[in-house]
Amino acid sequence: MIKLRRLERRYSLGKEKFFYVLRDINLDIAEGEFVSVMGPSGAGKSTLLHILGMHDHGWQGEYSLNDTAIHHLKPKERATLRNEQIGFVFQQYHLLDDLTVYENLEIPLSYRHYSKSERAALVADTLDRFQIVGKKDLYPRQLSGGQQQLVGVARAIIAEPKLLLADEPTGNLHSSQGEEIMELFRKLNDEGMTIVQVTHSDKSASYGKRVIQLRDGWIVNE
Amino acid sequence: MLKDIRFSLRQLIKQPAFTIIAVLTVALAIGATTAVLSLVNGLLVRPLPYPDSQRLVLLLQHFKSQNLERIPVSPPEFKDYETRSHSFEKLGAFGYTSFNLAAEDRPERIAGATVTSGVLPLLGVSPIKGRFFAPEECMLGRDDVVIISARLWQHRFDSDPQIIGRKLLLNGKSFTVVGVMPANFDFPLQLFNLGSGGQFGGRAEIWKPLAFTDDQMKARYNRSFWIVGRLAPGISAAQAQAEIETINAQMRREHTDNYSQDNSFGGDVFLLQNLAAAGMRPALLILLGAVFLVVLIACANLTTMLLARAAAREREIAIRVALGAGRLRLLKQVFTESVLLSLIGGAAGVLLALWGVELLKTIGAQTVPRLREVNLDLVVLGVTLAICVGTGIIFGLAPGLASSRPELTEALKEGSRGSTVGKRRNRLRNGLVIAEVALALVLLSGAGLLIKSFARLQNVNPGFNPRNALTFEISLPKMQYPDDSSIVRFNDEARRRIAALPGVQAAGFSTILPLAGTNSDSSFAIEGRASDKNTPSPDEELREVSPDYFRALGTPLIKGRFFTAGDKADAPPVIIINQAFAKKFWPNEDALGKRIVMGGMSDNPKWITIVGIVGDMRHFGLDIDPKPEMYVPFAQSAYSTAIYVVRSNQDAQVLLAAIRREIQAIDPAVPLANVRSFENLIADSVAPRRLSVVLLGVFAGVAVLLAGVGIYGVMSFLVVQRTHELGVRMALGAQRGDVLKLVLIRSLKLISAGTIIGLIIAVMSTHTLRAMLYSVSAFDVVTFVLVTVLLGGIALAASFLPAMRATRADPMVVLTAE
């Protein structure tokens, strides 16, 4: 599903000097895999995730997603592909403060040209699936951290992406809430969703089927 | 305090872009306000330039049944008022005139007035040299004395210390100078705009005694003098009015031949100050309202700017509070800064106003009464200072309160966002933008209506062709041209010579020009129509014109013929009327060939035959429908002053030197006066209206500019504030177009709310403009739609830049920032 070849991410330090965040990344992730990317702070984990999520365009090398050569796509084409295939979960949840749970779930659909009735049906299904129907009219500040992340995951998968990217999804949660989210991830993976998560937690990583270790921008161990 | 000022100055210098925009905003608002305050002060508030001018009145007459209002009085009527009234300390009569002042190089035409001996003393201004007229000098044969203005004394006589007693050759006759009035003395004021003064009448520089002839003293119908008076101490204008009505009733009883016995005839006492202000009062009050709106918009703008700054400095202020700063101390700091901004902007605004007032004077000094007296005096500066301090406090209020109540825990927490206080302030900001758009729309609607009205007025067909037409006056002195035949001979010869000049298509003259502010009328009777003493004779406008006058004006002949050289004094009397006249008096008949007699019917009437019907002309103003007019041949009713119209196939101004040569060839002592193009004449006739249009247009422009800056500022602030949200949305799949739409829709909501409120206020308030509108409804839908689209477009454009900036939000930067 994902194929990275000689992928690099660097920042210029002036006069042909560069600071490398990612170096010579060669990576294959098959459909249905649950991969955990680990490593110390500054290793390049989040950068790798944002490159996979096509938020970051300043990289060199080759990146193919389901046989589409991303490196040949224009930003707008990448955005379209991202909307079709990728969902994102953040450590800070990044729910929109002024929108209710219902409205937060609706956002990704509104950017994917679903009709109003389709949106209503999908949001209702998702609320039901995640058992948060009773919270649909609440605002994020009225939810606990775990509940907010639950909404965050629900929002990431509502448009039925093939690939779910999660940046330290349990980083801000206490252990029981974290376990709940990871169980949810496992369930999604069992249903066929490919998941790539960045985590510091061995326990969270253990929910995955494969661990990639990054250090100073290099893949050091798989 | 000094410390606060120093700190505020440092803050302002630290953010030059903010300071420049804020100062410019205040400068525009204060500049507009100061300019209008100067106008209001100069034209409405400031007393006329005579001591105790509140007691000065003008006494005019009316004949309501003939639609004649504010007309002058006859000499016997003046004497009746003067001898019988007790409400006045003094009454005096005056008339407009002009003099040909002989000089070695070229004769000069000087505007002047004839005054009875009481006029100048009652005004309360003494001569700087010499004396007033003695009563006996207002008698025929002893009236060969003049008083001149210091302006004339300085520029024509080089401030000759021996001026008193010096002889001047005026209209070919010798006069002795007995006094010099101060340089700033002005009488009659342009504001009177009555009779033969009008727009052609410059400032009077020579005053001559008014001595009535025996014939004049018998003719109650010959109304050509104006009465000025000073109310007696303790007497009000209403009391004087009551007394005048009593005297009028006496006159009606005593002279039954001259006055109808209904209430048609009467006299009106006008306070001079009110009469002076009357013309411009509605326009000035509207302009005052307009600048008030501009100031409100500026305040709204500055409030939003300062609120944004307060938000940016929230942490700094929270730290100050945490360190022990009191609320009052913080408020003082914010107010110091806002008032300082206001004062700096105000100073720049006063400079703008100084320039603006000078500009206005050049636009309208010749045509707007008292405009040349307008200046920025201490009163205006004092009010401006108060407004500056007031606006500084107003726009500092919300940011001051916001700063003095910081949410400590929120503000001190790193990366905090989305507090309730923030939402409250956003609501305030949104409210201010809505208010700005609404106020700007109100101003723009008003300006739009006035501009449309003015454009319609400019396109009105005046009934003549003003292009390539030159006009000037020739006034013949009585000594050299004592009778009608000599006057007609001179003017016939002048017209013949001018018409023969290369490039001249037609040349003619008249006693009165359309749109020049002068007028004359006459009553008449129609052959075959019964009249009795109790029914007033019809009275319509009357002009004396030469052959080719209509050709020179470009006024079409509808029927019959124009006057010819054959219509001489001894030829059968003939008359030309306009279409309005024909329609009014012969609605279903052919007027051609009908006969009328001037004045009332007599036993031996001198019938005048209608030989032509010409197109209607707008005489009183482009906005006033043509009235019935009569034209008689100049040769059959000559006057010493003729106003020429010369039409050429090129710019008529280039003919001026040749025309002057031809006139001097006939009589070197006769000057050309009031030379101007007909286009200028028309422009001057709409000058007060143009002044209002220009001012309201400028204010509306300033309002739209400020509203645009305000919207830009608020949307920019909003985008910065929502960077995180926009980043998240982009991470969740929003494309640039989605973000652009999001910001623009937010902006559109504010603009729409402002527009709806503005339209409601505009519809409710534009009726105040009704008196200033011509051929445009105060609820003109097209104008409302156009100004709404214009303002909406500008407001959206102002939102577009911040919206574009929003689309550049990098989700990665936003999402990894925490």
Side-chain angles (χ1 to χ4, degrees):
Chain A
M1 184 181 203
I2 293 171
K3 191 190 278 182
L4 303 180
R5 292 291 177 269
R6 298 180 307 282
L7 190 122
E8 280 187 353
R9 180 68 171 108
R10 63 188 190 187
Y11 293 95
S12 172
L13 297 174
K15 277 205 173 177
E16 294 181 12
K17 284 185 179 171
F18 298 99
F19 171 71
Y20 285 86
V21 182
L22 291 173
R23 302 195 75 146
D24 196 26
I25 302 292
N26 294 287
L27 179 66
D28 290 277
I29 297 172
E31 198 168 335
E33 274 200 271
F34 185 167
V35 178
S36 300
V37 182
M38 299 188 74
S41 291
K45 308 183 296 291
S46 290
T47 305
L48 179 63
L49 206 68
H50 282 290
I51 289 173
L52 294 178
M54 289 181 249
H55 293 147
D56 188 345
H57 304 294
W59 44 270
Q60 288 85 42
E62 293 176 7
Y63 168 20
S64 300
L65 178 67
N66 285 329
D67 297 328
T68 304
I70 307 298
H71 47 279
H72 288 147
L73 295 185
K74 292 175 183 158
K76 202 169 176 185
E77 293 166 331
R78 291 181 187 182
T80 309
L81 192 70
R82 182 185 63 209
N83 283 357
E84 284 168 3
Q85 306 212 2
I86 300 174
F88 226 107
V89 177
F90 309 100
Q91 180 185 358
Q92 305 282 355
Y93 332 131
H94 289 316
L95 300 179
L96 297 185
D97 297 335
D98 295 334
L99 303 185
T100 61
V101 167
Y102 187 101
E103 289 164 337
N104 263 292
L105 292 182
E106 211 182 7
I107 292 178
L109 302 177
S110 67
Y111 296 135
R112 286 163 175 79
H113 309 297
Y114 283 82
S115 70
K116 201 175 173 188
S117 57
E118 285 173 326
R119 290 206 303 266
L122 274 168
V123 172
D125 278 355
T126 309
L127 286 167
D128 202 29
R129 184 174 169 196
F130 283 76
Q131 296 175 348
I132 48 176
V133 177
K135 311 222 178 310
K136 73 178 174 66
D137 293 325
L138 298 183
Y139 286 92
R141 60 180 172 276
Q142 295 168 297
L143 302 176
S144 70
Q147 287 168 333
Q148 286 193 48
Q149 193 57 301
L150 197 63
V151 176
V153 176
R155 185 180 63 179
I157 59 112
I158 193 164
E160 295 164 344
K162 293 189 175 72
L163 172 65
L164 182 66
L165 301 174
D167 192 0
E168 299 201 41
T170 58
N172 273 9
L173 303 177
H174 60 71
S175 54
S176 66
Q177 286 174 331
E179 282 169 25
E180 218 174 293
I181 295 296
M182 291 321 298
E183 283 298 339
L184 180 59
F185 274 27
R186 188 189 328 235
K187 197 171 158 219
L188 291 170
N189 182 241
D190 289 345
E191 288 167 6
M193 189 173 286
T194 310
I195 298 176
V196 179
Q197 69 163 342
V198 164
T199 182
H200 279 117
S201 153
D202 290 333
K203 192 165 183 192
S204 292
S206 68
Y207 284 84
K209 295 168 183 166
R210 179 179 163 197
V211 173
I212 296 167
Q213 289 285 351
L214 275 179
R215 194 180 298 271
D216 298 331
W218 301 89
I219 293 180
V220 291
N221 187 18
E222 235 193 286
Chain B
M1 190 67 189
L2 264 177
K3 208 170 142 193
D4 280 336
I5 293 173
R6 258 202 312 274
F7 180 76
S8 298
L9 278 173
R10 214 182 306 143
Q11 288 292 322
L12 295 178
I13 292 165
K14 216 167 86 181
Q15 288 178 299
F18 167 87
T19 308
I20 288 169
I21 293 175
V23 165
L24 277 180
T25 302
V26 180
L28 285 172
I30 295 295
T33 309
T34 310
V36 170
L37 281 177
S38 304
L39 287 178
V40 170
N41 183 45
L43 304 183
L44 298 188
V45 180
R46 198 188 287 163
L48 293 169
Y50 312 111
D52 205 6
S53 61
Q54 294 82 350
R55 284 168 53 211
L56 291 177
V57 295
L58 213 57
L59 175 54
L60 303 168
Q61 292 185 334
H62 62 251
F63 282 87
K64 283 183 181 154
S65 60
Q66 288 154 299
N67 287 326
L68 298 172
E69 292 205 8
R70 296 189 183 189
I71 57 169
V73 298
S74 64
E77 286 169 335
F78 165 62
K79 283 294 171 198
D80 284 347
Y81 290 131
E82 191 183 33
T83 51
R84 297 180 189 188
S85 68
H86 300 95
S87 303
F88 306 96
E89 201 174 280
K90 255 182 191 139
L91 274 182
F94 66 94
Y96 293 84
T97 189
S98 59
F99 302 93
N100 291 347
L101 174 61
E104 280 169 15
D105 48 351
R106 204 167 74 183
E108 193 180 350
R109 180 86 173 279
I110 309 282
T114 52
V115 293
T116 57
S117 61
V119 170
L120 297 180
L122 76 81
L123 294 172
V125 182
S126 303
I128 52 169
K129 269 181 166 298
R131 58 171 174 84
F132 289 128
F133 297 129
E136 58 272 21
E137 284 168 338
C138 289
M139 293 166 71
L140 284 174
R142 301 187 62 178
D143 58 344
D144 55 350
V145 289
V146 289
I147 294 172
I148 64 169
S149 73
R151 298 180 294 271
L152 190 68
W153 175 48
Q154 282 151 12
H155 94 262
R156 280 301 296 253
F157 305 106
D158 213 11
S159 303
D160 175 9
Q162 307 302 317
I163 190 74
I164 302 299
R166 188 168 160 174
K167 305 273 185 197
L168 304 185
L169 202 59
L170 298 171
N171 293 345
K173 192 182 161 194
S174 177
F175 286 84
T176 307
V177 176
V178 296
V180 177
M181 294 304 284
N184 58 1
F185 178 73
D186 226 352
F187 183 86
L189 285 178
Q190 218 179 355
L191 62 99
F192 300 162
N193 203 20
L194 304 165
S196 54
Q199 290 166 24
F200 265 165
R203 299 173 87 174
E205 309 287 359
I206 299 175
W207 295 270
K208 175 186 164 309
L210 176 53
F212 298 122
T213 62
D214 288 344
D215 284 347
Q216 281 178 320
M217 285 308 294
K218 287 175 197 154
R220 280 190 176 265
Y221 55 84
N222 189 3
R223 297 183 170 80
S224 47
F225 299 99
W226 314 89
I227 298 181
V228 64
R230 179 174 286 276
L231 291 171
I235 299 291
S236 69
Q239 287 169 306
Q241 174 72 46
E243 187 183 31
I244 290 298
E245 279 167 17
T246 309
I247 298 170
N248 285 338
Q250 291 169 2
M251 287 198 266
R252 275 200 299 270
R253 278 197 305 275
E254 293 165 13
H255 306 279
T256 50
D257 284 353
N258 296 97
Y259 307 103
S260 58
Q261 294 306 304
D262 55 14
N263 283 327
S264 171
F265 166 72
D268 303 298
V269 175
F270 293 96
L271 279 172
L272 215 50
Q273 184 78 27
N274 291 351
L275 202 65
M280 285 299 283
R281 186 189 295 274
L284 285 175
L285 292 180
I286 284 166
L287 289 175
L288 209 55
V291 289
F292 177 65
L293 295 187
V294 172
V295 170
L296 282 185
I297 292 172
C299 280
N301 240 2
L302 289 156
T303 304
T304 54
M305 287 172 72
L306 287 177
L307 269 177
R309 234 160 87 96
R313 285 167 62 184
E314 211 161 39
R315 265 179 68 74
E316 171 213 320
I317 288 167
I319 291 168
R320 282 172 184 269
V321 173
L323 292 174
R327 194 174 169 190
L328 210 63
R329 182 76 192 75
L330 289 171
L331 266 176
K332 205 172 125 194
Q333 177 56 49
V334 175
F335 280 136
T336 305
E337 197 172 317
S338 64
V339 172
L340 197 64
L341 256 181
S342 186
L343 288 175
I344 296 170
V350 167
L351 291 179
L352 264 181
L354 272 172
W355 172 77
V357 165
E358 286 311 309
L359 192 70
L360 289 178
K361 281 187 185 176
T362 57
I363 296 176
Q366 293 303 313
T367 44
V368 178
R370 299 189 75 193
L371 192 58
R372 65 164 73 91
E373 291 173 39
V374 170
N375 59 10
L376 261 69
D377 63 8
L378 282 176
V379 175
V380 173
L381 287 176
V383 176
T384 302
L385 182 69
I387 291 173
C388 281
V389 174
T391 47
I393 290 173
I394 289 170
F395 67 68
L397 202 61
L401 291 175
S403 297
S404 66
R405 274 193 307 218
E407 294 288 299
L408 275 187
T409 46
E410 282 290 327
L412 291 174
K413 213 157 65 183
E414 288 287 354
S416 67
R417 56 171 201 270
S419 68
T420 346
V421 176
K423 283 194 183 69
R424 211 164 45 225
R425 283 179 207 163
N426 273 348
R427 271 202 297 276
L428 177 61
R429 259 181 225 109
N430 293 346
L432 289 169
V433 167
I434 291 170
E436 279 190 60
V437 172
L439 296 176
L441 191 70
V442 173
L443 270 179
L444 208 54
S445 305
L449 289 172
L450 282 187
I451 289 168
K452 186 168 181 181
S453 156
F454 195 68
R456 290 231 162 131
L457 201 61
Q458 298 285 67
N459 289 326
V460 159
N461 176 9
F464 53 88
N465 177 8
R467 297 196 64 186
N468 292 336
L470 183 76
T471 164
F472 54 88
E473 273 182 57
I474 287 180
S475 197
L476 300 175
K478 210 151 183 73
M479 291 284 283
Q480 283 74 24
Y481 301 89
D483 51 30
D484 286 2
S485 62
S486 58
I487 293 171
V488 169
R489 219 173 17 253
F490 176 95
N491 282 300
D492 277 350
E493 176 62 8
R495 192 176 66 80
R496 190 189 63 74
R497 284 170 175 259
I498 293 168
L501 287 172
V504 171
Q505 290 176 331
F509 54 87
S510 167
T511 45
I512 282 172
L513 275 191
L515 300 178
T518 56
N519 193 35
S520 100
D521 57 83
S522 172
S523 57
F524 60 94
I526 298 171
E527 187 180 24
R529 297 207 183 161
S531 66
D532 60 73
K533 275 185 182 172
N534 289 327
T535 313
S537 303
D539 188 294
E540 300 298 350
E541 318 305 332
L542 175 69
R543 295 91 181 77
E544 293 76 22
V545 305
S546 74
D548 262 7
Y549 171 68
F550 295 110
R551 270 195 206 96
L553 269 184
T555 300
L557 178 71
I558 307 298
K559 220 167 189 186
R561 67 168 175 89
F562 285 139
F563 294 138
T564 65
D567 295 315
K568 293 178 184 164
D570 53 357
V574 288
I575 192 165
I576 290 175
I577 57 171
N578 68 353
Q579 285 174 292
F581 193 103
K583 199 173 164 190
K584 181 171 177 182
F585 295 101
W586 292 279
N588 302 312
E589 289 175 78
D590 187 357
L592 219 57
K594 297 281 189 296
R595 299 200 303 174
I596 65 169
V597 62
M598 289 296 167
M601 192 65 82
S602 64
D603 295 337
N604 187 21
K606 188 185 167 192
W607 293 111
I608 311 175
T609 308
I610 297 171
V611 294
I613 300 171
V614 293
D616 291 335
M617 270 185 249
R618 289 179 187 248
H619 183 88
F620 294 91
L622 290 177
D623 53 346
I624 298 172
D625 287 338
K627 294 193 171 175
E629 289 187 2
M630 306 178 274
Y631 304 90
V632 294
F634 187 87
Q636 294 179 357
S637 179
Y639 279 78
S640 59
T641 298
I643 308 168
Y644 280 70
V645 179
V646 179
R647 173 164 303 283
S648 72
N649 53 13
Q650 54 189 313
D651 181 0
Q653 290 280 352
V654 299
L655 289 167
L656 191 57
I659 292 172
R660 213 185 284 277
R661 261 197 315 276
E662 295 300 333
I663 299 296
Q664 293 209 333
I666 309 171
D667 185 343
V670 173
L672 257 61
N674 295 321
V675 180
R676 64 212 299 205
S677 74
F678 234 109
E679 281 169 327
N680 282 347
L681 188 77
I682 288 193
D684 285 352
S685 77
V686 291
R689 204 182 265 272
R690 188 173 50 235
L691 196 70
S692 310
V693 171
V694 167
L695 282 176
L696 204 59
V698 167
F699 297 158
V702 168
V704 171
L705 180 75
L706 291 182
V709 169
I711 290 164
Y712 173 81
V714 167
M715 294 320 290
S716 298
F717 182 77
L718 205 76
V719 165
V720 171
Q721 209 187 26
R722 292 178 74 183
T723 305
H724 169 261
E725 179 202 329
L726 298 173
V728 172
R729 282 179 183 272
M730 288 186 88
L732 294 174
Q735 307 233 357
R736 288 190 164 199
D738 296 314
V739 172
L740 195 70
K741 209 161 76 186
L742 191 77
V743 177
L744 287 182
I745 282 176
R746 176 74 178 263
S747 168
L748 203 62
K749 277 182 187 166
L750 298 181
I751 296 166
S752 303
T755 305
I756 290 166
I757 296 170
L759 278 176
I760 293 170
I761 302 173
V763 167
M764 281 162 56
S765 59
T766 45
H767 69 273
T768 53
L769 290 175
R770 201 169 283 154
M772 295 166 71
L773 295 178
Y774 171 75
S775 184
V776 173
S777 155
F779 309 110
D780 185 60
V781 177
V782 177
T783 305
F784 282 131
V785 170
L786 279 178
V787 296
T788 304
V789 170
L790 177 71
L791 182 66
I794 291 171
L796 264 184
S799 320
F800 197 72
L801 278 178
M804 282 303 288
R805 211 176 303 138
T807 63
R808 289 197 289 271
D810 186 344
M812 216 183 101
V813 172
V814 172
L815 301 177
T816 54
E818 297 172 31

